[in-house]
Amino acid sequence: MTVLHNPVLRGFAPDPSLVRVGDWYYVATSSFEWFPTIPLHRSRDLSHWEYAGHVQGAAPGDSLAGVPDSGGVWAPSLSWDGERFWVTYTVVRSVGTPYFDLDTYISTATRIGGEWSAPRRVASHGFDPALFHEDGRLWLLNLQNDHRPGGERFAGIVVTELDRDRLEPVGDTHLLLQHDRLIEGPKLLRRDGWYYLVLAEGGTGWEHGVRVARSKELTGPYELDERPLLTTRDDPDVPLQKAGHGELVETPDGQWLLSHLTARPLHTPQGRRCTLGRETAVQAVTWDADGWPRLRQGGWHPAVEVDAPTRPHPLPPPAVPEDLSWPWSTLREPPDPSWADTTARPGWIRLRGRHGPESRWAAGLLAQRVTEHRAEAEVTVEAQPVTFTQAAGLVLWYNPEAYLALDLTWAEPEGEPQRGQQWGSTAGGRTVLVLVERDEDGVRQVAVVDVPEDGPVTLGVTVEGADARFWYVRDGVRTAVGPVLDFGRLSDDHGSRLRFTGAMAGIHARDLVEAAFTADFTGFRLTCTPG
């Protein structure tokens, strides 16, 4: 047996879809507005996981330009038909409107880390689709939406048979189940003559859960289990909260597992805050005498430690990437040498300034996931900004309405007021570090520190729970910049708008006028400490 410690994928790894092929377990997770699209991980023992690539090309044209925050690629469903991997997912282009404005796609690959076929659009009833393979037939499951005034946004689960080659509908779409509580994210399996629907229930927040229904016929009617398979909605003190969006998988020896998303909240004066986003966990499952799945430990609360029916199979530590591959991520497009170059100065990353941090089109940002409540990031930056429209530095990022940044930039001579951009070589000014915080009320300049005009400076930030303290190093001396800032704002739970991702730490650069200013970065380090 292997003792696994949940979450098994830590920090921003939501909506896991788990599949077993031989001795390997593979999981796909949501990427939303971030690249790489649909990260894939693999494990032999469910405890030790490694990055296994991503579904390259999942965003048609390799662009999610303009998609809203927490839009983009939602809830991929990974499956295996005995010959190749399939993935279906939705690109969501509206968030918080009556209309879903989305496109559902299917892509396939013979190897998990191999080349994926160009995505093909299929019937797009809603988000969080799944595929079911049976006797050479292919079925697409989804939810449906009634966008009309008075209609139900989550109006039931539907299934459509698809031609395996053309991916076009075969026959009618069937309504499988409607429920008075929100249900979505359907997964389908067959066991002992029953078809089981595994459903995400109650939304993706504190009310989240997993509910199961079953039928003797694939197209229904389905009866709901009277109790949830998994939820934490009844107990805010369970360490793993928001448990839901599950998928059942059978092991080689006939035992069962449940993958699901979860979150580890901080308890702050402002309430519970999930700064790490939603993560991936695994539970052990048994079947009761009536044929319903149950958590092996009893009840419906997720366990932090689980005895998995596998033998330990540790993996070597991941290599430090020499390029901008995983664990680096970028917003709405993959990294491109035209603005993120690792060859211009060996051992450094050169970022060209692009749009401001609130752009949905051309963000000059590279970031990595924060995976623990204790973390420290640092980087050395060298740049020579000559106007306030140019800046580069270290950032803690959630979205354009929630970030903290320490940037190297230009300011007027001390004591002079802001007078817009200064032109000509006699404009004067000084090189400064500016600490800013952004929330739904706007951007605030927290602190300004003078630094020499030339030479590199090391920037850093230390995160302890909901506290973030920025600092810089010059001549070997670490100096704090500004007060402790509220890292809890960089969470799924702050503010009134839907948020589905997680906090990131990274580097960024902007040049709002010429788009030509460059900054060089080296020695980026993000250390996340469990505790």
Side-chain angles (χ1 to χ4, degrees), residues 361-405:
W361 301 92
L365 171 68
L366 294 170
Q368 299 182 12
R369 287 157 171 77
V370 178
T371 60
E372 302 294 343
H373 291 131
R374 295 177 58 204
E376 187 166 273
E378 70 173 349
V379 70
T380 297
V381 59
E382 188 169 19
Q384 293 182 318
V386 295
T387 167
F388 66 90
T389 61
Q390 299 171 348
L394 179 68
V395 63
L396 292 177
W397 179 271
Y398 188 96
N399 68 19
E401 288 190 351
Y403 64 85
L404 310 171

Side-chain angles (χ1 to χ4, degrees), residues 221-234:
Y222 282 81
E223 61 169 327
L224 272 170
D225 188 2
E226 63 182 15
R227 53 172 279 191
L229 171 58
L230 178 78
T231 189
T232 51
R233 66 174 70 102
D234 60 321

